């Protein structure tokens, strides 16, 4: 089983390095690492609106740190502030029209950049791989919740 984690880390690091080398050549607006992390959190969220607290919890960054990044992203026209339908006191954000356009461009760039990695891998193998990745992600998120609860109660 230890071989799985070695392969996972080696693969993710190699893919990340490939991405950084290739995306660095693309013209892009300068964003800080924190701002990029906030944007990726929102990009991959299933909901149209995300509360600042939820972003903070997911990224493990204080709400104050998230707020600074969100302010810059709102000023850059990528995000808009909105009300949470379930909690009027909560501050939430959503992709602006421009932010949605940027997300579509990023998705397209990712597909073009990473499609060659799937050469020789059948559709069935790709589906199985995605299913396994989703299960791993779910387990990691559960463990994060368990650790957060333990810190509160400990």
């Amino acid at each position: 089983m230890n071989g799985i984690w070695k392969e996972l880390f080696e693969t993710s690091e190699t893919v990340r390095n490939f991405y950084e080398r290739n995306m660095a050549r693309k013209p892009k607006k300068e964003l800080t690492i924190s701002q990029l992390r906030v944007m990726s959190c929102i990009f991959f969220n299933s909901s149209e609106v995300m509360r600042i607290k939820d972003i903070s919890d997911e990224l493990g960054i204080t709400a104050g740190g998230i707020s600074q990044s969100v302010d810059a992203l709102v000023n850059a026209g990528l995000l808009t502030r909105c009300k949470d339908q379930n909690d009027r006191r909560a501050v939430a954000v959503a992709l602006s029209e421009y932010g949605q356009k940027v997300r579509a461009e990023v998705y397209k760039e990712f597909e073009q950049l990473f499609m060659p990695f799937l050469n020789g891998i059948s559709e069935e193998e790709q589906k199985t791989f995605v299913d396994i990745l989703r299960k791993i992600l779910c387990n990691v998120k559960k463990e994060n919740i368990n650790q957060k609860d333990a810190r509160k109660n400990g």
Side-chain angles (χ1 to χ4, degrees):
M1 287 305 231
N2 290 339
I4 291 173
W5 296 108
K6 179 186 178 297
E7 294 297 326
L8 179 63
F9 285 119
E10 183 178 351
T11 301
S12 63
E13 189 67 15
T14 303
V15 168
R16 186 181 63 78
N17 289 338
F18 178 86
Y19 165 78
E20 287 177 355
R21 279 191 311 274
N22 285 278
M23 293 306 280
R25 297 182 194 139
K26 306 260 185 219
K28 62 182 179 205
K29 201 171 203 174
E30 287 301 316
L31 297 176
T32 67
I33 297 296
S34 292
Q35 292 165 0
L36 288 170
R37 291 184 69 204
V38 169
M39 287 300 291
S40 69
C41 188
I42 295 168
F43 276 2
F44 300 117
N45 183 38
S46 58
S47 171
E48 291 290 316
V49 175
M50 198 163 185
R51 295 183 317 159
I52 299 293
K53 182 185 181 327
D54 295 334
I55 297 170
S56 172
D57 288 347
E58 188 164 325
L59 297 179
I61 300 173
T62 65
I66 296 297
S67 292
Q68 289 178 336
S69 293
V70 165
D71 288 344
L73 294 166
V74 167
N75 290 336
L78 293 163
L79 297 180
T80 58
R81 293 188 194 284
C82 51
K83 294 289 182 189
D84 184 332
Q85 299 294 358
N86 300 321
D87 184 353
R88 294 182 317 174
R89 298 165 298 164
V91 177
V93 291
L95 291 175
S96 66
E97 189 174 314
Y98 175 60
Q100 291 173 11
K101 180 181 174 194
V102 168
R103 177 177 56 188
E105 290 171 3
V106 167
Y107 281 4
K108 185 178 177 181
E109 287 177 10
F110 277 6
E111 262 190 42
Q112 291 172 346
L113 188 64
F114 293 112
M115 283 307 291
F117 298 167
L118 301 176
N119 287 339
I121 302 172
S122 71
E123 295 239 356
E124 185 63 30
E125 289 171 318
Q126 290 178 39
K127 182 184 178 315
T128 300
F129 182 62
V130 169
D131 290 343
I132 291 168
L133 286 175
R134 285 183 179 147
K135 288 177 183 180
I136 291 172
L137 182 59
C138 183
N139 289 339
V140 170
K141 287 182 177 184
K142 283 180 190 175
E143 188 60 28
N144 283 340
I145 290 169
N146 291 341
Q147 288 178 359
K148 184 178 175 184
D149 289 346
R151 283 191 302 271
K152 280 184 183 177
N153 298 327

